[in-house]
Amino acid sequence: MYSQGLIGADGQTHEDAAFLAAFQARIDAEQKIEPNDPMPEGYRKTLVRQISQHAHSEIIGMQPEGNWISRAPSLRRKAALLAKVQDEGGHGLYLYSAAETLGVSREEMTEQLLSGAAKYSSIFNYPALTWADIGAIGWLVDGAAIMNQIVLCRCSYGPYARAMIRICKEESFHQRQGYEIMIALCNGSKEQKELAQDALNRFWWPSLMMFGPPEGDSVHSNQSMIWKIKRFSNDDLRDKFINASVPQAEKLGLTIPDSDLKWNEAKQGYDHGEIDWDEFWRVVKGDGICNRERLKNRRRVDRDGAWVREAAMAHAQKRRARMASARIAAE
Amino acid sequence: MSGTCETIMASNQTLFSYVLRLADDHLILSQRLGEWCGEAPTLEEDLALANIALDLIGQARALYAYAGQVEGKGRNEDQLAFMRYERDYQNLLITEQPNGDFAHTIVRQFFISAYMDPFWRRMESSKDEMLAAIAAKASKEVTYHLRHTSEWVIRLGDGTRESHERMVEALDDLMMFTGELFEMDAVAQEMLQSGVGVDASDLKAEWQHTVQTILQEATLELPKAGHMQTGGRTGRHSEHLGHILSELQYMQRSFPGLTW
């Protein structure tokens, strides 16, 4: 989510050397940058892009899971899923607020999402086909998101870092909840275990893609890294995720769908097979099975809700006017 | 001696029915509200509708669990919620009505909250300790539901011409389902007489007062009460319930008897 938010980010900036050096000194001293602090335009733009794409991902991410609320298999699971999807809406709200501190409005960001100008995490263009997908999404997709987001709690931009602390707490709850769904499936019948394995098969590779493509050696000269918006390379985070997830899959008795996956004693981590980056780019660019549908849904919701928002505004204006005239009459 | 036993058996059956129908009301309404998740006119409202739905699921769970206990046949909340046939559900017809546009959802929720608010308050003094305890929690929650929906009724009624017209239509569409709220059948009568249940017919005046006060502020009127639909309590539903159940029960029916 986070790395994808930086794809195509324009860190270009035009301030003079003294300004940039003073800013960099604050970053290097691990001082948090706050909304009214001077900051390079490139820093501001990079953050707006990343935070808004993160917010959009939360909002679009409500769709695949929302799709299962009406069909959840028990009342307890239904309540937990609804609460989870609600949390995602809440995360979207904090993140839009964090981005607004950088001088962009929620309306503008929404417009960018609806027009297709802004992206969201490509994982949400994969469909949630069975109940087990709800488990796999919690376990793997939220798990991958946490790997990214834990680091973002130390991001140099204060409002983003603080929003992320709260989001991380909720995400880790979601991740445990997802894993618990997987445990129930894997302790269940043969059919349930098959559902779990099938969901893992479909969500494993897209989860690995969530970290974004390898950046190669150039990563340390990456402007986002220098500004401490980003703190680890995509590959480093992906490796951490794989190392954490493999033992979890083993505990479930499930097989990771990667025949090249093996423990590397020297690096004390797993080596993995080739990721299909063609698929990644295809989905990022709009050709996943759900891309069109996700955006169309969002546009429909925006359109259907327009009269409600207009009515709320109109009522607020009328009320203000009535209160003002009552005040005048009283004087 | 055996006479006393039969009385207890009979009233247990009645109590089971009484608790079960209340549980059905809350389950079906929460299922409807859950359909709004990700679809609401603003992000804030998305969270608010989900909150209300979650309160309702919580109430339904407490009620089903208690109904199962009263019945004493070992059925748990999920067996009661998911494994019955359409004609066995006893929810009020208004709870199963489609979400429609936001005006319909708000009017439906407003009508029901304005009823459940005094209902739960009275139930707090039920002789049945479990129902009194469920009511104590639910009455705090429904106060918020009523406030939230009242605010929307006012905004939408007073807002724009379009929102006003949509509200008029929603009121017209849903009015005929409000009579059922106040019906007292044999089950409700028996529960009232034993100090367990609430006199629903006695809530009508308060309901009308609440509804009319808010509608007046919203520049709306309560439609004239024509023929009132009824049937939910005896399992005679609108066509909508079957579709709700086909989604609700999908997993439990496809994979019977498993743990999730």
Side-chain angles (χ1 to χ4, degrees):
Chain A
M1 214 176 286
Y2 140 74
S3 303
Q4 286 184 26
L6 289 172
I7 289 171
D10 176 13
Q12 286 281 315
T13 207
H14 48 75
E15 292 79 7
D16 63 35
F19 180 91
L20 291 174
F23 182 75
Q24 193 61 46
R26 291 195 59 195
I27 298 281
D28 292 343
E30 297 288 336
Q31 288 178 14
K32 287 277 177 265
I33 307 301
E34 296 300 333
N36 294 327
D37 292 349
M39 64 182 84
E41 184 55 18
Y43 178 83
R44 195 188 72 81
K45 270 166 52 183
T46 302
L47 276 166
V48 167
R49 181 188 180 91
Q50 181 170 328
I51 302 172
S52 64
Q53 293 199 11
H54 191 165
H56 299 329
S57 300
E58 298 282 0
I59 301 303
I60 297 288
M62 293 170 82
Q63 290 184 39
E65 290 174 287
N67 166 43
W68 273 93
I69 292 169
S70 67
R71 292 177 292 167
S74 70
L75 292 182
R76 184 170 81 91
R77 294 292 184 203
K78 186 188 289 290
L81 180 60
L82 179 55
K84 183 193 174 189
V85 181
Q86 183 195 36
D87 280 348
E88 283 158 12
H91 297 171
L93 207 51
Y94 312 148
L95 288 164
Y96 282 129
S97 303
E100 281 183 315
T101 64
L102 291 160
V104 56
S105 70
R106 204 206 295 186
E107 290 71 24
E108 285 170 76
M109 290 183 272
T110 302
E111 186 43 49
Q112 286 165 359
L113 171 66
L114 298 182
S115 72
K119 295 277 181 273
Y120 54 85
S121 181
S122 59
I123 192 78
F124 301 118
N125 293 315
Y126 291 85
L129 301 179
T130 73
W131 172 252
D133 290 13
I134 300 305
I137 289 172
W139 170 36
L140 298 172
V141 175
D142 290 311
I146 291 166
M147 285 293 166
N148 278 323
Q149 291 170 355
I150 288 284
V151 195
L152 285 172
C153 296
R154 294 195 293 126
C155 165
S156 60
Y157 187 57
Y160 192 28
R162 289 188 290 271
M164 213 44 73
I165 290 170
R166 179 162 176 189
I167 290 175
C168 273
K169 284 187 189 147
E170 294 179 349
E171 293 285 11
S172 64
F173 179 70
H174 297 164
Q175 200 255 352
R176 284 201 299 274
Q177 204 169 275
Y179 192 67
E180 203 238 317
I181 291 177
M182 298 302 280
I183 292 175
L185 294 172
C186 292
N187 288 339
S189 71
K190 185 167 160 284
E191 298 158 292
Q192 282 174 305
K193 195 153 186 183
E194 281 167 7
L195 285 176
Q197 182 64 56
D198 172 61
L200 171 60
N201 292 350
R202 282 179 290 108
F203 277 93
W204 176 255
W205 291 105
S207 299
L208 298 190
M209 293 176 197
M210 284 174 69
F211 296 91
E215 298 131 309
D217 295 335
S218 69
V219 64
H220 297 290
S221 60
N222 183 306
Q223 186 63 70
S224 295
M225 209 78 152
I226 294 168
W227 277 334
K228 297 189 180 172
I229 295 173
K230 184 181 168 80
R231 285 177 177 261
F232 286 94
S233 76
N234 296 348
D235 280 335
D236 285 348
L237 287 170
R238 187 168 17 248
D239 283 346
K240 272 170 83 125
F241 172 73
I242 294 171
N243 293 340
S245 302
V246 172
Q248 291 169 350
E250 281 168 359
K251 203 158 174 243
L252 291 170
L254 297 177
T255 310
I256 303 266
D258 177 358
S259 53
D260 295 326
L261 187 81
K262 56 175 179 296
W263 178 254
N264 179 331
E265 189 60 31
K267 77 168 190 187
Q268 285 295 300
Y270 286 91
D271 290 329
H272 61 82
E274 194 85 29
I275 296 173
D276 183 354
W277 292 109
D278 290 341
E279 173 181 321
F280 171 77
W281 287 113
R282 185 164 55 73
V283 177
V284 165
K285 288 179 178 160
D287 287 330
I289 189 166
C290 295
N291 296 58
R292 295 179 72 82
E293 194 181 328
R294 299 287 188 238
L295 264 192
K296 270 191 151 167
N297 277 339
R298 220 39 241 169
R299 289 191 196 118
R300 173 180 52 76
V301 166
D302 185 70
R303 212 168 40 238
D304 290 352
W307 69 270
V308 178
R309 295 189 297 274
E310 278 162 27
M313 296 282 278
H315 167 69
Q317 270 166 12
K318 284 184 191 174
R319 210 174 54 162
R320 267 197 302 275
R322 281 196 291 266
M323 277 160 71
S325 56
R327 237 190 341 266
I328 291 163
E331 279 166 8
Chain B
M1 192 67 190
S2 70
T4 320
C5 245
E6 273 164 31
T7 319
I8 292 169
M9 290 293 284
S11 74
N12 258 7
Q13 181 55 42
T14 315
L15 178 60
F16 171 68
S17 274
Y18 191 69
V19 178
L20 188 67
R21 58 171 66 173
L22 260 177
D24 288 345
D25 288 342
H26 289 82
L27 173 67
I28 298 301
L29 187 59
S30 70
Q31 182 78 357
R32 277 297 189 214
L33 281 184
E35 293 169 17
W36 272 102
C37 191
E39 303 266 324
T42 67
L43 203 41
E44 287 80 354
E45 189 56 23
D46 227 313
L47 306 188
L49 290 176
N51 258 339
I52 297 176
L54 282 167
D55 287 343
L56 298 174
I57 297 179
Q59 292 159 12
R61 290 183 67 186
L63 290 162
Y64 280 126
Y66 182 44
Q69 203 183 312
V70 170
E71 188 192 34
K73 290 183 185 164
R75 286 204 280 181
N76 63 23
E77 58 175 41
D78 289 331
Q79 284 158 332
L80 289 171
F82 293 93
M83 299 299 281
R84 288 180 295 141
Y85 296 114
E86 186 173 341
R87 293 292 309 279
D88 298 331
Y89 282 79
Q90 295 168 35
N91 56 285
L92 294 164
L93 297 175
I94 191 168
T95 61
E96 70 200 39
Q97 295 313 304
N99 285 341
D101 63 4
F102 188 66
H104 280 76
T105 291
I106 287 297
V107 169
R108 186 185 62 201
Q109 198 65 37
F110 172 63
F111 278 167
I112 295 171
S113 304
Y115 168 76
M116 288 312 298
D117 183 50
F119 182 94
W120 284 126
R121 253 187 285 118
R122 292 194 191 190
M123 188 64 95
E124 284 184 64
S125 44
S126 168
K127 278 189 187 162
D128 184 299
E129 280 177 24
M130 182 63 92
L131 278 178
I134 293 172
K137 183 165 186 286
S139 81
K140 290 190 194 90
E141 293 167 344
V142 78
T143 305
Y144 161 76
H145 306 169
L146 179 57
R147 194 181 70 209
H148 184 77
T149 50
S150 298
E151 285 168 0
W152 271 116
V153 169
I154 295 166
R155 276 185 211 116
L156 298 178
D158 180 57
T160 61
R161 194 166 154 184
E162 179 182 1
S163 69
H164 185 92
E165 281 167 7
R166 284 175 184 264
M167 285 300 279
V168 169
E169 190 181 329
L171 288 164
D172 284 344
D173 287 348
L174 291 165
M175 188 64 198
M176 66 179 177
F177 298 108
T178 59
E180 203 184 27
L181 299 171
F182 310 103
E183 284 175 7
M184 289 292 287
D185 63 0
V187 167
Q189 287 290 358
E190 189 184 326
M191 286 293 101
L192 175 64
Q193 273 150 23
S194 58
V196 170
V198 169
D199 186 354
S201 64
D202 194 43
L203 302 178
K204 194 168 185 179
E206 184 173 345
W207 181 84
Q208 272 178 334
H209 176 75
T210 307
V211 166
Q212 267 161 347
T213 308
I214 297 298
L215 289 183
Q216 195 178 0
E217 200 179 333
T219 71
L220 292 162
E221 275 173 33
L222 192 62
K224 235 180 78 195
H227 177 74
M228 289 293 178
Q229 301 300 327
T230 180
R233 296 305 190 207
T234 53
R236 289 175 73 112
H237 292 276
S238 58
E239 287 179 348
H240 305 296
L241 185 68
H243 295 282
I244 294 177
L245 296 183
S246 65
E247 283 193 32
L248 178 78
Q249 299 187 341
Y250 163 68
M251 289 295 290
Q252 290 277 350
R253 296 290 184 192
S254 306
F255 305 93
L258 301 183
T259 303
W260 302 93

